[in-house]
């Protein structure tokens, strides 16, 4: 940078001077771009090169397959809306609905949402395979034995925590675990998605998510209470019964990443001190990165639906029971769980948050330049108390 600035200062009007200035300017821009991509690595769009052969396949799929898939998707979403509406018929108190076991007739109606979602993934998005692998000997050292519990026992009420790659992993987890999610409050207002989310007992939080930890605690305590002897239950280790609420899924990163890195977990999901089931998600498509990161929704949906096939891998780690120290320090709990996912996925974790992502997107849209983006990122990092506490944990 210093060399270029000195050379620019002595540039005259001849051709050679202009060429040198242009060369330095290009070098400076390249250096800045590399610095930006290094700083905001989890949010950078990283996808295999769109080759000529892949463009031909995409064109073929767009003309002959995409219309059929779109029709199937439209029909499927309509059916999901109808099922959700029937399942919630007569509900007056949404808060009570979110935190209470459902009557058998509602559960019977809503039980078709998960298999229908799986069918839509197969028929409209080409997700022909969801590989679900559980804890094995190769992952023995990822979760300390003192914390690990066989997840198949489902011995206690728990939540699923996972890395977040976009809307596709939400559908995959819904189809696989009949899951509920923690979602932003504006999701509840969406026509199709909002209705289904409400029916599946999702928890809606505002920005900032005040009371988020308390809502999770209420949800897990409701599940625990439903299985208590006081409520006529003697079985606390069932895999799903009338008393059970849908398993709650939380994405502690608070936003999506590109699949090559994660950002620091927020501690809200861990404050309640209940066990968590870490699930690592990995998209497996050699031609297109299915993560919805730094790409327009309509372009991402088009490219996803014009892939001949897509595959998703879910890796279940052991059910993680927090130690007493982790219960007292939720951030330590969050860090240790994310460390396990980091080792499983073999990707780095960056000290960033959702605000950093917004800065990067502003840079991509040319609203700010590289220098401003980096400066704003530094300010956000300095103001984030959670990231500061993570730094303290790492020192110890």
């Amino acid at each position: 940078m210093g060399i270029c600035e000195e050379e620019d200062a002595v540039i005259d009007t001849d051709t050679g001077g202009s060429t040198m200035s242009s060369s330095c300017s290009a070098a400076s821009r390249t250096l800045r771009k590399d610095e930006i991509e290094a700083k905001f690595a989890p949010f950078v769009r990283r996808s295999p090169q769109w080759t000529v052969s892949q463009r031909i396949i995409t064109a073929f799929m767009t003309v002959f397959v995409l219309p059929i898939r779109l029709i199937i998707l439209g029909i499927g979403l309509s059916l999901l809306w109808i099922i959700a509406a029937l399942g919630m018929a007569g509900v007056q108190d949404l808060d009570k609905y979110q935190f209470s076991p459902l009557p058998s007739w509602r559960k019977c109606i809503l039980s078709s949402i998960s298999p229908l979602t799986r069918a839509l993934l197969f028929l409209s998005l080409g997700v022909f395979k969801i590989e679900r692998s559980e804890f094995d000997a190769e992952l023995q050292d990822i979760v300390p034995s003192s914390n690990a519990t066989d997840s198949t026992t489902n011995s206690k009420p728990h939540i699923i925590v996972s890395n977040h790659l976009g809307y596709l992993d939400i559908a995959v987890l819904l189809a696989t675990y009949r899951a509920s999610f923690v979602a932003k409050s504006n999701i509840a207002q969406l026509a199709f998605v909002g209705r289904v989310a409400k029916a599946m007992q999702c928890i809606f939080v505002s920005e900032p998510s005040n009371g988020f930890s308390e809502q999770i605690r209420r949800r897990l305590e409701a599940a625990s209470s439903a299985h208590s002897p006081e409520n006529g239950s003697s079985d606390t280790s069932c895999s799903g019964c009338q008393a059970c609420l849908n398993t709650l899924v939380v994405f502690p990163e608070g936003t999506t990443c590109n699949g090559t890195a994660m950002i620091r977990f927020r501690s809200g999901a861990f404050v309640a001190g209940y066990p968590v089931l870490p699930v690592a998600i990995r998209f497996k498509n050699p031609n297109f990165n299915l993560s919805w990161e730094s790409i327009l929704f309509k372009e991402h949906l088009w490219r996803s639906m014009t892939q001949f096939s897509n595959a998703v891998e879910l890796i279940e780690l052991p059910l993680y029971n927090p130690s007493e120290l982790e219960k007292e320090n939720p951030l330590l709990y969050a860090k240790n769980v994310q460390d396990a996912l980091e080792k499983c996925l073999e990707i780095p974790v960056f000290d960033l948050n959702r605000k950093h992502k917004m800065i990067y997107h502003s840079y991509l849209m040319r609203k700010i330049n590289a220098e401003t983006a980096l400066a704003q990122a530094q300010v956000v990092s300095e103001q984030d108390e959670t990231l500061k506490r993570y730094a303290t944990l790492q020192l110890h």
Side-chain angles (χ1 to χ4, degrees):
M1 289 292 293
I3 294 175
C4 288
E5 288 168 357
E6 290 179 4
E7 289 171 341
D8 287 342
V10 297
I11 293 301
D12 57 23
T13 57
D14 66 7
T15 304
S18 298
T19 301
M20 182 179 293
S21 176
S22 176
S23 175
C24 274
S25 178
S28 177
R29 286 195 299 270
T30 300
L31 181 62
R32 272 307 193 190
K33 181 181 178 182
D34 292 343
E35 192 175 353
I36 284 285
E37 292 191 353
K39 176 65 179 179
F40 300 101
F43 312 128
V44 176
R45 181 69 192 166
R46 302 191 188 280
S47 192
Q49 184 179 4
W50 201 9
T51 63
V52 174
S53 60
Q54 285 301 314
R55 289 173 185 269
I56 294 173
I57 292 173
T58 299
F60 174 85
M61 296 288 290
T62 299
V63 173
F64 296 102
V65 179
L66 181 60
I68 299 173
R69 287 183 169 179
L70 285 173
I71 291 172
I72 293 173
L73 181 61
I75 294 173
L77 289 176
S78 299
L79 288 175
L80 285 174
W81 189 93
I82 292 171
I83 293 168
L86 290 174
M88 288 192 70
V91 172
Q92 301 294 327
D93 188 344
L94 182 60
D95 183 75
K96 182 179 179 181
Y97 179 87
Q98 290 174 324
F99 297 97
S100 303
L102 300 181
S104 56
W105 69 270
R106 291 194 193 275
K107 291 182 75 73
C108 182
I109 293 173
L110 297 174
S111 64
S112 58
I113 286 181
S114 289
L116 179 55
T117 301
R118 181 65 189 97
L120 282 177
L121 285 169
F122 187 96
L123 296 173
S124 63
L125 282 159
V127 182
F128 298 148
K129 189 174 185 181
I130 298 178
E131 300 178 18
R132 184 179 175 185
S133 58
E134 296 185 349
F135 171 75
D136 57 36
E138 294 180 359
L139 302 177
Q140 188 69 45
D141 63 336
I142 289 182
V143 176
S145 57
S146 59
N147 298 93
T149 301
D150 181 6
S151 62
T152 59
T153 63
N154 199 23
S155 57
K156 298 179 181 179
H158 64 271
I159 61 176
I160 292 174
V161 295
S162 175
N163 57 310
H164 193 17
L165 303 176
Y167 57 86
L168 187 57
D169 56 17
I170 295 175
V172 169
L173 291 171
L174 172 58
T176 305
Y177 295 100
R178 198 182 68 183
S180 303
F181 298 86
V182 175
K184 296 177 185 176
S185 56
N186 64 317
I187 297 295
Q189 310 305 319
L190 299 179
F192 289 101
V193 178
R195 171 66 73 175
V196 176
K198 290 176 184 176
M200 294 302 291
Q201 297 180 291
C202 290
I203 294 176
F204 301 102
V205 297
S206 58
E207 286 282 353
S209 53
N210 296 325
F212 165 58
S213 301
E214 182 58 30
Q215 286 180 300
I216 290 180
R217 188 191 301 275
R218 280 184 62 196
R219 180 63 168 264
L220 294 176
E221 286 179 351
S224 179
S225 176
H227 287 91
S228 66
E230 290 80 1
N231 285 325
S233 174
S234 60
D235 184 9
T236 60
S237 60
C238 72
S239 59
C241 70
Q242 175 58 35
C244 290
L245 287 81
N246 293 332
T247 300
L248 189 65
V249 174
V250 179
F251 299 113
E253 292 169 288
T255 190
T256 58
C257 291
N258 59 17
T260 67
M262 289 187 287
I263 62 174
R264 287 292 175 192
F265 279 4
R266 316 309 285 185
S267 61
F270 303 90
V271 171
Y274 279 85
V276 300
L277 178 65
V279 175
I281 301 177
R282 183 184 289 128
F283 291 150
K284 304 176 72 174
N285 187 322
N287 303 313
F288 178 67
N289 185 351
L290 291 168
S291 65
W292 183 32
E293 183 52 62
S294 299
I295 181 174
L296 294 175
F297 172 74
K298 59 183 180 181
E299 180 181 354
H300 184 272
L301 186 63
W302 167 56
R303 290 294 309 280
S304 299
M305 295 184 72
T306 52
Q307 301 298 306
F308 177 75
S309 67
N310 293 305
V312 182
E313 181 181 15
L314 302 178
I315 306 173
E316 284 186 12
L317 276 64
L319 190 68
Y320 194 111
N321 288 288
S323 65
E324 290 303 317
L325 181 59
E326 289 169 326
K327 289 179 181 179
E328 294 173 2
N329 187 346
L331 199 68
L332 176 63
Y333 186 10
K335 179 183 181 300
N336 290 341
V337 171
Q338 188 168 33
D339 285 347
L341 286 171
E342 179 185 5
K343 293 176 183 177
C344 178
L345 290 168
E346 298 181 323
I347 59 176
V349 177
F350 283 71
D351 291 325
L352 301 173
N353 61 32
R354 186 174 179 272
K355 291 183 179 179
H356 289 102
K357 177 177 178 175
M358 297 300 101
I359 293 171
Y360 178 65
H361 285 180
S362 293
Y363 165 76
L364 290 182
M365 293 184 287
R366 301 180 185 276
K367 293 181 179 179
I368 57 176
N369 59 26
E371 289 77 8
T372 302
L374 293 170
Q376 289 182 0
Q378 181 64 30
V379 171
V380 168
S381 296
E382 292 173 353
Q383 294 176 344
D384 190 324
E385 294 300 324
T386 298
L387 293 182
K388 290 181 182 179
R389 291 169 58 204
Y390 265 119
T392 304
L393 283 178
Q394 291 168 352
L395 290 175
H396 291 82

